[in-house]
Amino acid sequence: MSGDGEQAGMNILMTGASGFIAQTLIPNLLAEGHKLWAWTRSPQHCDYLYGANLNCVAQLNELLNRDDAVHFDAIINLAGEGIADKRWSEARKATLLSSRLDTTAALIRFIEQLDQKPTVLLSGSAIGFYGSHDSDEPLAEDGPINIGFTHELCRRWEEEADKAREYGVRVCLLRTGIVLGKGGALAKMRLPFMMGMGGRVGSGKQWMSWVHIADEVRAIQFLLGNDHCSGAFNLTAPNAVQNLEFTRSFAQSLGRPSFMPLPDVVPKLMLGEGAELLLEGQRVYPKRLLQEGFQFSFEKIEDAFLDLES
């Protein structure tokens, strides 16, 4: 057992293996002695990223129709189109939904066909579950909901994953915030800040609930290995910050100024309805993770940025 309770030598099936979080998680899991399989649309890309360390399949049936069929101890479901990658047209919103729901539904059908069920399903979700909030009150896992597209997306995604409970599978729902690492959201922000053109977005008062990539991955491993943990967990650092503090801290870590605000109209033109991801927010608190004894390595935004820029 690892220090966080994780059992070594597990057979783990993953989706989203080429994604930002997985590219840190997978090497960590391999280093712990686990054997990994990835269900992916791009086996060649996964081969490029991980080589022979990861067994890649394009169809789940490939894992069922073999003489040496693998028993999976766990499934980690991180698949889903990037929510802030493109403008939210109706077609784009349909793609965001289907990329999550269809994959998760296929995993549930896969579990149904297995003679020996996995012990646990860790399935992605997001703090968008709570909808947009302008309140300064921290949101725990049982916090109030504001109805909108992000809530509907996450609610349906979680409900699909929860169907695994019908087969005796423990389910953990990963309500992830803004993940800070060398890539992802920060990569998109970096160039304008390096050019001295960074600053707050809109009013700068909107809350940003963030998590360092190292803590995100450690939290996933923690939930993987602690068999009494189930249900929804907020994967965010304990100290959310407002956008003004976030952008100032990021600029400071780069040794750059932060005095050029981005007017509301710019993200609205770029993302349409999706501009709410930048202009609105919610102050999320990881109550259940902390109650379970998980300890964050990066609780303050300035420490996270200093680590990533060191």
Side-chain angles (χ1 to χ4, degrees):
M1 303 287 282
S2 73
D4 283 338
E6 185 182 335
Q7 182 180 353
M10 298 173 74
N11 290 328
I12 302 173
L13 173 63
M14 289 196 60
T15 68
S18 60
F20 174 55
I21 294 172
Q23 288 186 50
T24 298
L25 175 62
I26 286 174
N28 282 20
L29 292 173
L30 291 170
E32 290 284 339
H34 303 298
K35 295 182 179 179
L36 303 185
W37 283 256
W39 173 35
T40 172
R41 292 176 300 179
S42 305
Q44 297 86 354
H45 185 53
C46 282
D47 287 341
Y48 169 77
L49 289 173
Y50 307 109
N53 294 318
L54 189 66
N55 303 286
C56 301
V57 297
Q59 302 292 333
L60 284 175
N61 284 342
E62 296 178 44
L63 298 172
L64 293 170
N65 302 328
R66 40 190 287 173
D67 295 333
D68 58 340
V70 182
H71 159 60
F72 290 105
D73 302 291
I75 299 176
I76 303 176
N77 177 29
L78 301 178
E81 292 281 336
I83 196 165
D85 290 353
K86 296 180 181 179
R87 184 181 179 87
W88 283 9
S89 63
E90 290 304 311
R92 180 60 181 173
K93 289 197 287 186
T95 298
L96 293 173
L97 275 166
S98 63
S99 67
R100 291 159 172 77
L101 300 185
D102 293 353
T103 299
T104 308
L107 287 173
I108 299 303
R109 291 193 297 271
F110 177 72
I111 290 171
E112 182 181 20
Q113 295 175 76
L114 294 174
D115 292 331
Q116 191 171 353
K117 312 301 184 190
T119 301
V120 60
L121 167 64
L122 305 185
S123 194
S125 184
I127 59 173
F129 179 88
Y130 304 104
S132 297
H133 289 260
D134 56 12
S135 170
D136 292 340
E137 288 298 315
L139 290 166
E141 288 81 359
D142 58 354
I145 303 301
N146 280 335
I147 302 299
F149 175 69
T150 57
H151 168 69
E152 185 69 8
L153 173 70
C154 295
R155 179 188 65 80
R156 293 177 62 183
W157 194 9
E158 291 187 5
E159 286 179 353
E160 196 64 50
D162 260 335
K163 293 177 182 178
R165 298 181 193 276
E166 299 172 13
Y167 304 102
V169 178
R170 176 171 65 93
V171 177
C172 291
L173 305 166
L174 313 175
R175 292 181 182 166
T176 296
I178 302 165
V179 182
L180 304 183
K182 296 185 177 180
L186 285 190
K188 298 175 182 178
M189 294 175 55
R190 188 180 179 87
L191 181 58
F193 275 81
M194 288 298 293
M195 296 174 66
M197 300 173 64
R200 62 174 169 80
V201 179
S203 70
K205 295 179 181 179
Q206 65 273 32
W207 285 98
M208 300 182 69
S209 299
W210 59 275
V211 63
H212 190 294
I213 183 66
D215 282 333
E216 171 78 8
V217 166
R218 287 182 55 248
I220 292 172
Q221 291 179 268
F222 178 89
L223 295 173
L224 178 66
N226 284 280
D227 58 14
H228 61 281
C229 294
S230 66
F233 289 85
N234 291 334
L235 270 59
T236 63
N239 298 300
V241 294
Q242 290 176 301
N243 176 264
L244 181 60
E245 182 180 349
F246 184 96
T247 50
R248 282 178 176 171
S249 294
F250 185 45
Q252 185 175 13
S253 73
L254 297 172
R256 295 291 190 273
S258 174
F259 60 85
M260 294 190 67
L262 187 70
D264 291 8
V265 67
V266 177
K268 287 178 180 177
L269 287 171
M270 292 173 59
L271 294 173
E273 184 185 342
E276 71 177 67
L277 299 172
L278 299 178
L279 299 175
E280 303 172 21
Q282 56 279 108
R283 187 180 186 180
V284 176
Y285 184 72
K287 180 179 178 180
R288 295 198 64 212
L289 266 180
L290 293 173
Q291 286 178 335
E292 293 293 349
F294 181 80
Q295 296 182 343
F296 286 84
S297 297
F298 299 93
E299 295 192 358
K300 296 183 178 180
I301 191 70
E302 56 268 29
D303 293 337
F305 283 139
L306 285 173
D307 176 75
L308 292 170
E309 296 302 327
S310 62

